Amino acid sequence: MSVITADQASQATPVLKLDEFLPHRLNLCSGSVSAALSSIYAERYQIGVPEWRVIVILGEFGRATAKEIGVHGQMHKTKVSRAVAVLEKRQFVTRRANVADLREAFLSLTPDGRAVYDDVAPQAVEFVNRLIATIDPGDREAFSRVVKQLTERAGAITADVAKGGKAG
């Protein structure tokens, strides 16, 4: 993990080693895990990560708006929109108008979309079980807690910076 030494702190610009930089390491880990997981569904169903996230969210919640999908999947609205368009074209997702607010629609899986979810979800769970098996059982709770803490702290820093604060 990247820690700045006292000597580095006294320099005008601290040395940042990319291979030890936590955001870079987390990004590499995330990319590797996503690529490995996508091998389960990408070739068979010709869908990418954003489409898979939409399917999983709708599989879990039954129906959701595009905005809700963006929040649950941590995806920008344009990415959600593109993924939904692909899934609608493939007839995996259907949309129904929200009569209370015609600016939005409720999205849900079609029977074909549900079949994709039902086929791939157990394989995704098995993938996670195989992945997490590399972590000592006694460390898994701590690992989960640390990931949650880092995620929450990054969100707090983002909010602080948006208000004009510093990243550090």
Side-chain angles (χ1 to χ4, degrees):
M1 191 171 345
S2 182
V3 177
I4 297 174
T5 66
D7 289 341
Q8 290 174 328
S10 67
Q11 298 174 0
T13 304
V15 175
L16 190 150
K17 296 179 181 178
L18 188 59
D19 289 341
E20 297 174 6
F21 189 54
L22 181 61
H24 178 69
R25 293 174 65 202
L26 291 172
N27 188 51
L28 290 175
C29 180
S30 175
S32 295
V33 169
S34 287
L37 177 60
S38 73
S39 68
I40 294 171
Y41 56 79
E43 187 174 324
R44 184 168 185 176
Y45 294 106
Q46 290 78 47
I47 58 174
V49 173
E51 293 81 18
W52 171 241
R53 285 186 189 162
V54 171
I55 288 173
V56 169
I57 291 165
L58 294 176
E60 179 180 355
F61 295 104
R63 75 174 192 176
T65 65
K67 185 176 184 177
E68 291 168 336
I69 290 170
V71 169
H72 286 294
Q74 292 281 303
M75 295 188 295
H76 189 271
K77 62 184 178 179
T78 56
K79 188 170 278 200
V80 172
S81 179
R82 288 181 188 136
V84 167
V86 167
L87 294 170
E88 280 184 302
K89 185 176 181 180
R90 302 280 312 283
Q91 298 182 350
F92 291 157
V93 167
T94 187
R95 82 174 56 230
R96 290 188 181 86
N98 178 356
V99 294
D101 185 351
L102 296 177
R103 295 171 295 172
E104 69 180 4
F106 292 112
L107 302 164
S108 58
L109 294 175
T110 64
D112 286 346
R114 185 52 148 175
V116 171
Y117 177 81
D118 289 345
D119 178 45
V120 180
Q123 295 176 64
V125 169
E126 177 58 26
F127 169 84
V128 169
N129 290 337
R130 287 179 60 200
L131 185 66
I132 207 80
T134 192
I135 299 173
D136 185 87
D139 293 337
R140 291 176 190 166
E141 187 177 316
F143 173 75
S144 182
R145 187 175 56 254
V146 167
V147 169
K148 181 179 179 190
Q149 289 170 334
L150 289 172
T151 302
E152 289 172 355
R153 182 66 177 145
I157 291 170
T158 300
D160 189 45
V161 169
K163 293 177 185 175
K166 292 186 178 183

